[in-house]
Structure formats: structure tokens, C-alpha cells
């Protein structure tokens, strides 16, 4: 492939997915070894891996296979799921967080103007609740959406969910609930019963549709579901600026590291202490990253398991470029004016 | 309610839903008559209705009830569904069109970078396919998403759908389909079998989830569904500028008309002939608007019923502020370079 003009390279900043393509093809040990001879044959000295836990695992295995050769292998973290361990957060996540916070605020305004139903928004992240939790950044004033947040880190309890929804519906009229696509019950099974099976896999319905149905059936309250799905990981308009800058930075640092002869490392993101948000990008031995999947720590989840804590909000806020745009409700303004006259 | 400061009024431009609130409460004839005495008692001379077909129907009935009184009733069209008759389009629709076109382009880039599945995006608009059709504006080059578009104006044929999906999957790997939430079969019934009934209503599953399931079951191809739902009518970032300007304009014209003593009219939007896009805002007798629901005309739908026509694209393009942002795919660039060397 020839050299691309700068204006094409610039388009990477506003192109969702990956311009280099991707695959889901699992590699065997012989293939790792075969790769070394292919790289040598073509005089390829630098190999960069861009992705999440799966890609970093592959990155580690390739770097092992290349040991002793004149080949340098470096990982560049990128996963909206934010489940790479050791680092403060992974590039991609801040934009996914900004997306879910923004749409939750917007849907909250929509539901508030016609408060007749319960609206269940489904967020991506099957095993880790980072994205789902970020919806909390939509809140500014008491009563703002999201009113309930359910993460995959906690077993989902239908009775408690229904009780919480009922209480909030009676209070507010319109209720916005944000749930992870991977909610499981106390047995560790999907809360949605399987709808059918093929030779290869079991298929479940959508968590959001299932819960909306449950609200209608058990509480007799109108309910609907929204599942932005891929729209949430592909949105350019709601890209976080912090995220974009950091993604460029870790890519650049990875190239630098490889050229300087580093190998078997991933570029990390570490938040420096101090009041203003700032990061540094240490190189982390890839072996350390390969071992763990990172889920939401207990201190970020409230006791009842239907919300996050202020700790999480403080950690997440700087990643989405600060406050979201303001909105207005004449009902709120009227109430505010009434209160201020008393 | 007191006077709001200008900076609060400005926030209307970036607030989804409606700051004045809304309702779904159907009125009886006596209530229309009672309304007249309430209006007179409070010396209310001007009544403005903002909404779609339902609101314009109410607007017409209130204006009839107020005949002969010193009360002036004017309609301001607004419905993302775009189903108000007579006018070129309704405020709200251009933004919904820009939203669906943008997310289809973005999801298209995502699917292209990992082309392993069929992705079914569900668009709002149960009886009219305007929003679903607008996804076509995502296309720029041959092979771009959306690859198939299904509108509620045509009966849905599952066999043809599966044949079309299979062919495109074999050709492209990743397929993006956009469907209306209200697809019906040749009997006029929802294509999704009912999942349960309450005393008040029958509930159906989501069309997108149903079709993704069908692809997996019948074709053995991976499939998933996205249903942005309310996110699509509440998005501020993807608001159309043309739409925002026109919404302000028709509101202003309605106030002017009422003050000038006009009543029983709705402010219309008529596209002037000429090359550049321009509109005028004639007052339309509300009786004319009340009679019809506007669906996509035949000339905007292709023969097989799995796509729209170039006519539709030409009509719709000016409403979404022209071209969408560009994106880049290294695979496309490589192929392009190869071709240009031959």
C-alpha cells in the first residue's frame, strides 16, 4: 500500500471503527511461530497492536515469539469497554462515556416533556459496567435522569428493580433506567431467557426490551426500550476531545517506543496526582496487562446495586470534557420561580 | 409564569422534547366548548398549537369552537414523523433525517472494519417511512451502507428479504439494513408476532431484533440489531441547521399571523422552484391539513420495495445541510491505488 495523502490520514479522526480493518480469527501456537518468519522475510521490524484485552493477549504472544529477533512489538490500548487492567482508562472509553451520558440527558429531557412511561436504555459492555455507569454524568439537578443504573458487576434482582421503578414512577411520572447489555441473575445466567439455539451458540433477547416488557406486565406501567448499540461506539459528534488527544498520544508513544527498541510493552495511561486532570504514558510490560480483565471496583457502585457512587463521577467527569450542554424545562422554571417567591 | 431571561429562552434551541410539556389526553366535544369560556375568562386571545397530525386536529377543533370570539388559533407544524399533509416537510423531520443518515454512515464504517455480520437498524415512523428512507443519504460511493431499506408503505416479504441479505452478505461480508419500526406483512399485521397482551393493548417485540433473529435462524449468518429509538429524536449534536432555522421561522410566522387576526390556519412550508433550496411559509386553512396523513409517494420507493429512489434523495438532501462528514478506509484506498495502476 502506497503513501496516503495527509488529508486522508486526517480523516482517521472522524472515522468510526478501524480504517486498518479487524478480525475475530483466533491464532494457534504454530501460527505465532510462522508469523516470525513472515515478518523476517519482509524485513518488518516493528509490529504495533491496537485493541483491547484480546489484542493485548495476541500482542504478548507475538512479542514472545519474536524474542531474540530484530523485531519490536508494542501494544496501543483501545477499547470502549475499558476493561484493560493497570491503566487509568483505555482510549475509546471516554467517547463511549460521553455518548451514553449525552443520550441519557437527551432522552431524559424527552421523557420529562411527556412523562408517561418508563424508558430503559441499554448500554454496551457485557462484563464490565464502565459505559453503563457513565450515564450518571447526565445528572445535574435532583430528579435528573438516569434514575436507576444497573451494572453487570452485581447480580440483578427483579423484585428490587420493580419496586424501585414503581416508587420512582409514582414520584416522577417518567423514569429513565440505564442497564448493561450483560445483566445476569444470582445464578450467573443472563436475565433474559434464551430465545433459541443454533449449533454454535445460544441466543438471548435484548436486556432492555426484556425489562420494558417486565414493567408493562408486572406493574401495568407503559414502558419502552432504546438500544443504540453500535451507534454508541461509532458516534463522531459525541467524541470526547480528551479521548481523541489521548488516542493520538498513545499511538505516537508506541511508535517512538518501538523505534527506540522497546518490545513486549503496552503504552499505558496513568493519571497524575494533582487537582487538574493530567496523564502520563508509562510503558507497561505486556505480561502484566495480559493477566486481568478490569471491572468496576466496589467503591464505584452503591450498596443497593441500582446506582453508582460520587467517587465514580469524580473519576469519570474529566474524561468527557466537563459539563454537558444545558437544557431548559418551563415546568422546572415555573416551580423554581414559585419556590423563590415563598 | 413570569418572564424568562433570554439565556433560558436560548436553551430551547438545544433542548430535546418540548419545554412546554405535552400530553396524550384525548378531548371530547364538551371540553372544546368549555375551553372557550376558560380562554375568555382569562382574556387569552391567542392560542398556538405545536405538533403533528393529532395536534393539528385539535387545533382545528379549538379554532372551530372559538369561531365568532375574539380568539385567534394558529397551528405550528412539528413532527419528526413528517406525516402532515400539504406542506413540503414538517420541522423536526430534517433533524431526524440527519440523525438516521449519520448513524447509518457511522455504523456502516464500523461494520466495514469488521465485516462479519448483518446489522439491522430500526428507525422511528410506524406508518410513514420518511425517516427510514433518509438513511439513504449516508451513501456516497458504491457499496456504502445502507444496503437495504424497508419502509412501512410496502408489505414486507420475508423470503425476498432473506434472499437479498444472503446475496449482499456473500458479496460484502458486512451488511447494513435499515427498517421502519412499523413493518407489516401482506395481511397488514406487524411482522413480529405478538409477545403478550394486556387489557388495553397487544405488545409486539422490536422489528429489528426480530429480523436479526430471522437472519441467524434461516441463513446461519451472524446478525445484530440497533434501535436508537428516542435517542434519534432527541439528538442535539445531529440537529439539522436548516431545520432549526425553519422551526424558528414558522413559530415567528404563527405569532405574527395570530396577532394580525388570522385564525384556523397552520403555517406551511412550501419549497420554491429554482435551483437553490429555498422555502416560503404560506398560511394553510387548518381544515385542509386535518384530512390526511402523508406517507411516502410511490415515486420515492424502488420497485422491489427494498430501497428508495434517486428522486427521494434529491428531495431530502438539502434538508440535512448537504454532505455528511467524510471517512476513510485503508482497504478502499489500497484497492483504489491498485485500480489506478492498472
Amino acid at each position: 500500500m502506497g503513501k496516503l495523502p495527509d488529508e486522508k490520514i486526517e480523516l482517521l479522526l472522524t472515522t468510526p471503527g478501524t480504517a486498518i480493518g479487524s478480525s475475530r480469527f483466533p491464532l494457534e501456537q504454530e501460527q505465532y511461530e510462522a508469523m516470525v518468519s513472515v515478518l523476517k522475510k519482509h524485513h518488518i521490524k516493528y509490529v504495533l497492536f491496537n485493541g483491547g484485552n484480546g489484542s493485548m493477549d495476541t500482542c504478548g504472544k507475538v512479542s514472545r515469539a519474536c524474542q531474540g529477533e530484530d523485531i519490536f512489538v508494542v501494544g496501543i490500548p483501545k477499547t470502549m469497554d475499558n476493561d484493560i487492567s493497570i491503566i487509568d482508562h483505555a482510549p475509546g472509553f471516554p467517547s463511549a462515556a460521553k455518548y451514553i451520558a449525552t443520550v441519557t440527558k437527551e432522552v431524559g429531557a424527552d421523557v420529562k416533556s411527556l412523562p408517561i412511561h418508563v424508558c430503559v436504555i441499554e448500554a454496551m459492555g457485557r462484563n464490565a459496567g464502565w459505559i453503563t455507569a457513565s450515564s450518571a454524568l447526565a445528572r445535574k439537578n435532583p430528579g435528573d435522569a438516569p434514575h436507576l443504573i444497573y451494572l453487570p458487576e452485581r447480580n440483578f434482582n427483579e423484585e428490587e428493580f420493580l419496586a424501585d421503578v414503581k416508587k420512582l414512577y409514582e414520584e416522577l411520572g417518567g423514569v429513565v433506567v440505564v442497564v448493561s447489555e450483560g445483566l445476569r441473575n444470582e445464578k450467573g445466567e443472563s436475565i433474559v431467557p434464551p430465545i433459541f439455539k443454533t449449533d454454535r451458540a445460544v441466543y438471548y433477547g435484548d436486556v432492555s426490551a426484556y425489562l420494558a416488557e417486565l414493567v408493562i406486565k408486572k406493574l401495568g406501567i407503559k414502558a419502552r426500550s432504546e438500544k443504540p448499540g453500535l451507534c454508541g461506539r461509532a458516534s463522531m459528534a459525541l467524541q470526547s476531545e480528551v479521548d481523541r488527544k489521548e488516542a493520538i498520544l498513545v499511538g505516537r508513544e508506541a511508535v517512538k517506543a518501538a523505534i527506540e527498541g522497546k518490545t513486549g510493552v503496552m503504552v499505558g495511561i496513568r493519571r497524575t496526582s494533582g487537582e487538574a486532570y493530567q496523564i502520563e504514558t508509562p510503558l507497561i510490560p505486556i505480561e502484566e496487562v495480559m493477566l486481568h480483565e478490569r471491572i468496576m471496583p466496589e467503591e464505584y457502585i452503591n450498596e443497593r446495586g441500582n446506582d453508582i457512587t460520587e467517587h465514580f463521577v469524580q473519576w469519570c467527569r474529566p474524561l468527557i470534557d466537563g459539563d454537558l450542554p444545558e437544557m431548559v424545562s418551563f415546568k422546572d422554571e415555573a416551580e423554581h420561580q414559585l419556590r423563590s417567591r415563598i
Side-chain angles (χ1 to χ4, degrees), chain A:
Chain A
M1 187 166 170
K3 198 181 177 310
L4 277 180
D6 285 355
E7 64 267 25
K8 289 283 180 186
I9 297 292
E10 277 294 310
L11 291 178
L12 285 176
L13 297 176
T14 49
T15 301
T18 156
I20 54 175
S22 182
S23 83
R24 288 277 166 90
F25 184 72
L27 298 174
E28 303 295 331
Q29 189 52 38
E30 313 88 76
Q31 290 165 310
Y32 286 107
E33 283 152 24
M35 221 181 268
V36 181
S37 38
V38 173
L39 292 171
K40 283 167 75 176
K41 188 179 154 198
H42 293 280
H43 306 290
I44 293 169
K45 274 185 70 171
Y46 309 110
V47 184
L48 303 172
F49 280 85
N50 186 215
N53 274 324
S55 304
M56 291 310 123
D57 189 68
T58 308
C59 179
K61 287 173 180 162
V62 170
S63 78
R64 264 181 227 157
C66 291
Q67 243 162 20
E69 305 290 346
D70 194 26
I71 300 173
F72 306 91
V73 184
V74 177
I76 310 167
K78 172 218 58 95
T79 168
M80 53 116 66
D81 288 339
N82 201 38
D83 57 357
I84 300 179
S85 63
I86 315 274
I87 57 180
D88 182 78
H89 61 275
F93 166 69
S95 293
K98 185 170 175 179
Y99 177 88
I100 200 76
T102 305
V103 304
T104 301
K105 181 162 184 169
E106 290 171 343
V107 168
D110 188 297
V111 168
K112 190 175 199 163
S113 66
L114 181 59
I116 57 168
H117 50 206
V118 174
C119 169
V120 184
I121 303 174
E122 182 170 322
M124 287 185 112
R126 205 162 283 281
N127 299 315
W130 297 103
I131 299 174
T132 308
S134 306
S135 64
L137 278 75
R139 294 176 187 147
K140 194 174 176 200
N141 299 310
D144 280 353
H147 306 107
L148 293 166
I149 298 174
Y150 295 96
L151 309 168
E153 281 81 358
R154 290 286 182 88
N155 295 335
F156 186 76
N157 181 315
E158 284 192 3
E159 299 308 316
E160 286 183 14
F161 164 75
L162 289 168
D164 292 346
V165 165
K166 187 165 185 285
K167 188 165 166 283
L168 282 160
Y169 178 76
E170 283 161 3
E171 206 176 291
L172 301 168
V175 182
V176 176
V177 184
V178 183
V179 300
S180 150
E181 61 178 344
L183 290 184
R184 284 176 286 263
N185 60 24
E186 72 285 355
K187 292 181 210 149
E189 297 160 348
S190 166
I191 62 164
V192 188
I195 44 173
F196 72 100
K197 294 175 192 192
T198 65
D199 296 345
R200 289 181 305 187
V202 182
Y203 288 87
Y204 299 89
D206 296 325
V207 164
S208 51
Y210 172 77
L211 290 176
E213 206 185 304
L214 198 71
V215 168
I216 300 168
K217 272 186 187 166
K218 302 270 173 147
L219 300 178
I221 299 171
K222 274 185 192 228
R224 53 166 294 136
S225 62
E226 333 300 324
K227 182 197 167 198
L230 295 184
C231 308
R233 82 174 183 204
S235 169
M236 288 300 105
L238 298 179
Q239 212 180 43
S240 148
E241 275 181 50
V242 166
D243 194 18
R244 184 162 47 189
K245 279 185 198 151
E246 291 180 352
I248 296 169
L249 178 65
V250 293
R252 186 176 288 139
E253 292 300 314
V255 171
K256 218 188 282 179
I259 291 174
E260 286 171 0
K262 305 285 197 315
T263 191
V265 291
M266 182 190 84
V267 178
I269 292 185
R270 185 188 290 149
R271 203 182 289 221
T272 55
S273 57
E275 268 188 37
Y277 172 78
Q278 254 189 319
I279 59 154
E280 48 194 23
T281 53
L283 295 177
I284 299 169
I286 195 81
E287 312 284 336
E288 285 181 33
V289 178
M290 288 166 76
L291 298 170
H292 319 281
E293 186 184 42
R294 182 171 171 241
I295 59 171
M296 292 263 293
E298 276 299 304
E299 73 197 84
Y300 284 172
I301 310 173
N302 79 341
E303 208 179 326
R304 192 169 167 90
N306 65 2
D307 210 330
I308 49 79
T309 62
E310 187 53 31
H311 273 97
F312 172 79
V313 173
Q314 279 169 18
W315 171 80
C316 197
R317 180 79 67 195
L319 306 183
I320 67 158
D321 310 330
D323 291 338
L324 298 177
E326 293 237 25
M327 294 172 185
V328 66
S329 154
F330 288 173
K331 187 162 164 278
D332 286 356
E333 293 301 325
E335 280 169 10
H336 181 72
Q337 291 186 3
L338 270 177
R339 270 198 309 276
S340 64
R341 273 180 217 152
I342 295 165

